Coordinates of all heavy atoms in Angstrom, one line a residue:
T55 N 101.9 -62.5 -67.8 CA 102.8 -61.3 -67.9 C 104.2 -61.7 -68.4 O 104.6 -62.8 -68.0 CB 102.9 -60.6 -66.5 OG1 103.8 -59.5 -66.7 CG2 103.4 -61.5 -65.4
R56 N 104.8 -60.9 -69.2 CA 106.1 -61.2 -69.7 C 107.2 -60.7 -68.7 O 108.3 -61.1 -68.8 CB 106.3 -60.6 -71.1 CG 105.4 -61.3 -72.1 CD 105.5 -60.8 -73.5 NE 104.6 -61.4 -74.4 CZ 104.7 -62.5 -75.0 NH1 105.9 -63.2 -74.9 NH2 103.8 -63.0 -75.8
S57 N 106.8 -59.8 -67.8 CA 107.8 -59.3 -66.8 C 106.9 -58.6 -65.7 O 106.4 -57.5 -65.9 CB 108.8 -58.3 -67.4 OG 109.6 -57.8 -66.3
L58 N 106.7 -59.4 -64.7 CA 105.7 -58.9 -63.6 C 106.1 -57.6 -63.0 O 107.2 -57.5 -62.4 CB 105.6 -60.0 -62.6 CG 104.5 -59.7 -61.5 CD1 103.1 -59.6 -62.1 CD2 104.6 -60.8 -60.4
K59 N 105.3 -56.6 -63.1 CA 105.5 -55.3 -62.6 C 104.6 -55.1 -61.3 O 103.6 -55.7 -61.2 CB 105.2 -54.2 -63.6 CG 106.1 -54.3 -64.9 CD 105.7 -53.2 -65.8 CE 106.6 -53.2 -67.1 NZ 106.5 -54.4 -67.8
E60 N 105.1 -54.2 -60.5 CA 104.3 -54.0 -59.3 C 102.9 -53.4 -59.6 O 102.0 -53.6 -58.8 CB 105.1 -53.0 -58.4 CG 104.5 -52.8 -57.0 CD 105.4 -52.0 -56.1 OE1 106.6 -51.9 -56.4 OE2 104.8 -51.5 -55.1
S61 N 102.8 -52.6 -60.7 CA 101.6 -52.0 -61.1 C 100.6 -52.9 -61.6 O 99.4 -52.6 -61.8 CB 101.8 -50.8 -62.1 OG 102.5 -51.4 -63.2
E62 N 101.0 -54.1 -62.1 CA 100.1 -55.1 -62.7 C 99.3 -55.8 -61.6 O 99.8 -56.0 -60.4 CB 100.9 -56.1 -63.5 CG 101.5 -55.6 -64.7 CD 102.2 -56.7 -65.5 OE1 103.4 -57.0 -65.2 OE2 101.6 -57.2 -66.5
P63 N 98.1 -56.3 -61.9 CA 97.3 -57.0 -60.9 C 98.0 -58.3 -60.6 O 98.4 -59.1 -61.5 CB 96.0 -57.2 -61.6 CG 96.3 -57.1 -63.1 CD 97.4 -56.1 -63.2
H64 N 98.1 -58.6 -59.3 CA 98.7 -59.9 -58.8 C 97.6 -60.9 -58.6 O 97.9 -62.1 -58.5 CB 99.5 -59.6 -57.6 CG 100.8 -59.0 -57.9 ND1 101.0 -57.9 -58.6 CD2 102.1 -59.3 -57.5 CE1 102.3 -57.5 -58.7 NE2 103.0 -58.4 -58.0
S65 N 96.4 -60.5 -58.5 CA 95.2 -61.4 -58.3 C 94.2 -61.2 -59.4 O 93.9 -60.0 -59.7 CB 94.6 -61.2 -56.9 OG 95.5 -61.5 -55.8
L66 N 93.8 -62.2 -60.0 CA 92.9 -62.1 -61.1 C 92.0 -63.4 -61.3 O 92.4 -64.4 -60.7 CB 93.6 -61.7 -62.4 CG 94.5 -62.8 -63.0 CD1 94.5 -62.6 -64.5 CD2 95.9 -62.6 -62.4
T67 N 91.0 -63.2 -62.0 CA 90.1 -64.4 -62.2 C 90.0 -64.7 -63.7 O 89.7 -63.8 -64.5 CB 88.6 -64.1 -61.7 OG1 88.7 -63.9 -60.3 CG2 87.7 -65.3 -61.9
L68 N 90.2 -65.9 -64.1 CA 90.0 -66.4 -65.4 C 88.9 -67.4 -65.5 O 88.6 -68.0 -64.4 CB 91.3 -67.1 -65.9 CG 92.6 -66.2 -65.9 CD1 93.8 -67.1 -66.4 CD2 92.5 -65.0 -66.8
Y69 N 88.4 -67.6 -66.7 CA 87.5 -68.7 -66.9 C 88.0 -69.6 -68.0 O 88.5 -69.1 -69.0 CB 86.1 -68.2 -67.3 CG 85.4 -67.6 -66.1 CD1 85.5 -66.2 -65.8 CD2 84.5 -68.3 -65.3 CE1 84.9 -65.6 -64.8 CE2 83.8 -67.7 -64.2 CZ 84.0 -66.3 -64.0 OH 83.4 -65.7 -62.9
V70 N 87.9 -70.9 -67.8 CA 88.4 -71.8 -68.9 C 87.2 -72.6 -69.3 O 86.5 -73.2 -68.5 CB 89.5 -72.8 -68.4 CG1 89.9 -73.7 -69.5 CG2 90.7 -72.0 -67.9
E71 N 86.9 -72.5 -70.6 CA 85.8 -73.3 -71.3 C 86.5 -74.6 -71.8 O 87.3 -74.5 -72.7 CB 85.2 -72.4 -72.4 CG 84.1 -73.2 -73.2 CD 83.7 -72.4 -74.4 OE1 84.4 -71.4 -74.8 OE2 82.7 -72.8 -75.1
L72 N 86.0 -75.7 -71.3 CA 86.6 -77.0 -71.7 C 85.6 -77.8 -72.5 O 84.5 -78.0 -72.0 CB 87.1 -77.8 -70.5 CG 87.8 -79.1 -70.8 CD1 89.1 -78.8 -71.5 CD2 88.1 -79.8 -69.4
A73 N 86.0 -78.3 -73.7 CA 85.1 -79.1 -74.5 C 85.4 -80.6 -74.3 O 86.6 -80.9 -74.1 CB 85.3 -78.7 -76.0
C74 N 84.4 -81.4 -74.4 CA 84.6 -82.8 -74.2 C 84.9 -83.5 -75.5 O 84.3 -84.4 -76.0 CB 83.3 -83.5 -73.6 SG 83.5 -85.2 -73.1
N75 N 86.0 -83.0 -76.2 CA 86.5 -83.6 -77.4 C 87.9 -83.0 -77.6 O 88.3 -81.9 -77.1 CB 85.7 -83.2 -78.6 CG 85.4 -81.7 -78.7 OD1 84.4 -81.2 -78.2 ND2 86.3 -81.0 -79.4
G76 N 88.8 -83.8 -78.4 CA 90.1 -83.4 -78.6 C 90.2 -82.6 -79.9 O 89.1 -82.3 -80.6
L77 N 91.4 -82.3 -80.4 CA 91.6 -81.6 -81.6 C 91.0 -82.4 -82.8 O 90.5 -81.8 -83.8 CB 93.1 -81.4 -81.9 CG 93.5 -80.4 -82.9 CD1 93.1 -79.0 -82.5 CD2 95.0 -80.4 -83.1
F78 N 91.0 -83.7 -82.8 CA 90.4 -84.5 -83.9 C 89.2 -85.3 -83.4 O 89.0 -86.5 -83.7 CB 91.5 -85.5 -84.4 CG 92.6 -84.8 -85.1 CD1 93.8 -84.4 -84.5 CD2 92.5 -84.5 -86.5 CE1 94.8 -83.8 -85.1 CE2 93.5 -83.8 -87.1 CZ 94.6 -83.4 -86.4
G79 N 88.3 -84.6 -82.7 CA 87.0 -85.1 -82.4 C 87.1 -86.0 -81.1 O 87.8 -85.8 -80.2
A80 N 86.2 -87.1 -81.2 CA 86.1 -87.9 -80.0 C 85.9 -89.4 -80.4 O 85.1 -90.2 -79.9 CB 84.9 -87.5 -79.2
G81 N 86.7 -89.8 -81.5 CA 86.6 -91.2 -81.9 C 87.0 -92.2 -80.9 O 87.9 -92.0 -80.1
K82 N 86.3 -93.3 -80.9 CA 86.6 -94.4 -79.9 C 87.6 -95.3 -80.4 O 87.3 -96.2 -81.3 CB 85.3 -95.1 -79.6 CG 85.4 -96.1 -78.4 CD 84.0 -96.7 -78.1 CE 84.2 -97.7 -76.8 NZ 82.9 -98.2 -76.4
G83 N 88.8 -95.2 -79.9 CA 89.9 -96.1 -80.3 C 90.7 -95.8 -81.5 O 91.8 -96.2 -81.8
S84 N 90.1 -94.9 -82.4 CA 90.7 -94.5 -83.6 C 90.2 -93.1 -84.0 O 89.1 -92.8 -83.7 CB 90.4 -95.6 -84.7 OG 90.8 -95.0 -86.0
M85 N 91.1 -92.4 -84.7 CA 90.6 -91.0 -85.1 C 89.4 -91.0 -85.9 O 88.5 -90.2 -85.7 CB 91.8 -90.4 -85.9 CG 91.4 -88.9 -86.3 SD 92.7 -88.2 -87.3 CE 92.5 -89.0 -88.9
I86 N 89.2 -92.0 -86.9 CA 88.1 -92.0 -87.8 C 87.0 -92.9 -87.3 O 86.1 -93.2 -88.1 CB 88.5 -92.3 -89.2 CG1 89.1 -93.7 -89.3 CG2 89.5 -91.3 -89.8 CD1 89.3 -94.2 -90.8
A87 N 87.1 -93.4 -86.1 CA 86.0 -94.2 -85.5 C 84.8 -93.3 -85.1 O 85.0 -92.1 -84.9 CB 86.5 -95.0 -84.3
P88 N 83.6 -93.9 -85.0 CA 82.5 -93.1 -84.5 C 82.8 -92.5 -83.1 O 83.6 -93.1 -82.4 CB 81.3 -94.1 -84.4 CG 81.7 -95.2 -85.4 CD 83.2 -95.3 -85.3
P89 N 82.2 -91.3 -82.9 CA 82.5 -90.7 -81.5 C 82.0 -91.6 -80.4 O 81.0 -92.4 -80.5 CB 81.6 -89.5 -81.6 CG 81.4 -89.2 -83.0 CD 81.4 -90.5 -83.7
D90 N 82.8 -91.6 -79.3 CA 82.5 -92.4 -78.1 C 81.5 -91.6 -77.3 O 81.8 -90.6 -76.7 CB 83.8 -92.6 -77.4 CG 83.7 -93.4 -76.1 OD1 82.5 -93.9 -75.9 OD2 84.6 -93.6 -75.4
P91 N 80.3 -92.2 -77.1 CA 79.3 -91.4 -76.3 C 79.6 -91.4 -74.8 O 79.1 -90.6 -74.1 CB 78.0 -92.2 -76.6 CG 78.5 -93.6 -76.9 CD 79.8 -93.4 -77.7
D92 N 80.5 -92.3 -74.4 CA 80.9 -92.3 -73.0 C 82.3 -91.6 -72.7 O 82.9 -91.8 -71.7 CB 81.0 -93.8 -72.5 CG 79.7 -94.4 -72.6 OD1 78.6 -93.8 -72.3 OD2 79.6 -95.6 -73.1
R93 N 82.7 -90.8 -73.7 CA 84.0 -90.2 -73.6 C 84.1 -89.3 -72.3 O 83.2 -88.6 -72.0 CB 84.4 -89.4 -74.8 CG 85.7 -88.7 -74.8 CD 85.9 -87.8 -76.0 NE 87.2 -87.1 -75.9 CZ 88.3 -87.5 -76.5 NH1 88.4 -88.6 -77.2 NH2 89.4 -86.8 -76.4
R94 N 85.2 -89.4 -71.6 CA 85.5 -88.5 -70.5 C 86.7 -87.7 -70.8 O 87.7 -88.3 -71.4 CB 85.6 -89.3 -69.2 CG 84.4 -90.1 -68.8 CD 83.2 -89.2 -68.3 NE 82.1 -89.9 -67.9 CZ 81.1 -90.2 -68.7 NH1 81.1 -89.9 -70.0 NH2 80.0 -90.9 -68.2
V95 N 86.8 -86.5 -70.3 CA 88.0 -85.7 -70.4 C 88.6 -85.5 -69.1 O 87.9 -85.3 -68.1 CB 87.6 -84.3 -71.0 CG1 88.7 -83.3 -71.0 CG2 87.2 -84.5 -72.5
T96 N 89.9 -85.5 -69.1 CA 90.7 -85.4 -67.8 C 91.5 -84.1 -67.8 O 92.2 -83.8 -68.7 CB 91.6 -86.6 -67.6 OG1 90.9 -87.8 -67.7 CG2 92.4 -86.5 -66.3
L97 N 91.3 -83.3 -66.7 CA 92.2 -82.2 -66.5 C 93.4 -82.7 -65.7 O 93.2 -83.2 -64.5 CB 91.4 -81.1 -65.7 CG 92.3 -80.0 -65.2 CD1 92.9 -79.3 -66.3 CD2 91.4 -79.0 -64.3
S98 N 94.6 -82.7 -66.3 CA 95.7 -83.3 -65.6 C 96.7 -82.3 -65.0 O 97.5 -82.6 -64.1 CB 96.5 -84.1 -66.7 OG 96.9 -83.3 -67.8
K99 N 96.5 -81.0 -65.4 CA 97.4 -80.0 -64.8 C 96.8 -78.6 -64.9 O 96.3 -78.2 -65.9 CB 98.8 -80.0 -65.5 CG 99.8 -79.1 -64.9 CD 101.1 -79.1 -65.7 CE 101.8 -80.4 -65.5 NZ 103.2 -80.4 -66.2
A100 N 96.8 -77.9 -63.8 CA 96.4 -76.5 -63.7 C 97.4 -75.8 -62.7 O 97.3 -76.0 -61.5 CB 95.0 -76.3 -63.3
E101 N 98.3 -75.0 -63.3 CA 99.4 -74.5 -62.4 C 99.7 -73.1 -62.8 O 99.5 -72.6 -63.9 CB 100.7 -75.3 -62.6 CG 100.5 -76.8 -62.1 CD 101.8 -77.6 -62.3 OE1 102.7 -77.1 -63.0 OE2 101.9 -78.7 -61.8
L102 N 100.3 -72.4 -61.8 CA 100.8 -71.0 -62.0 C 102.3 -71.2 -62.0 O 102.9 -71.7 -61.0 CB 100.3 -70.1 -60.9 CG 100.5 -68.6 -61.1 CD1 99.7 -68.1 -62.3 CD2 100.0 -67.9 -59.8

Side-chain angles (χ1 to χ4, degrees):
T55 175
R56 293 179 185 272
S57 179
L58 183 63
K59 300 179 177 61
E60 188 175 340
S61 60
E62 290 184 280
H64 285 48
S65 296
L66 65 153
T67 299
L68 304 176
Y69 289 87
V70 177
E71 177 190 11
L72 184 62
C74 190
N75 52 268
L77 196 64
F78 290 94
K82 187 173 184 178
S84 166
M85 181 181 74
I86 62 171
D90 181 3
D92 299 319
R93 181 185 176 98
R94 297 291 183 270
V95 168
T96 301
L97 172 60
S98 55
K99 183 181 291 186
E101 295 178 349
L102 196 61

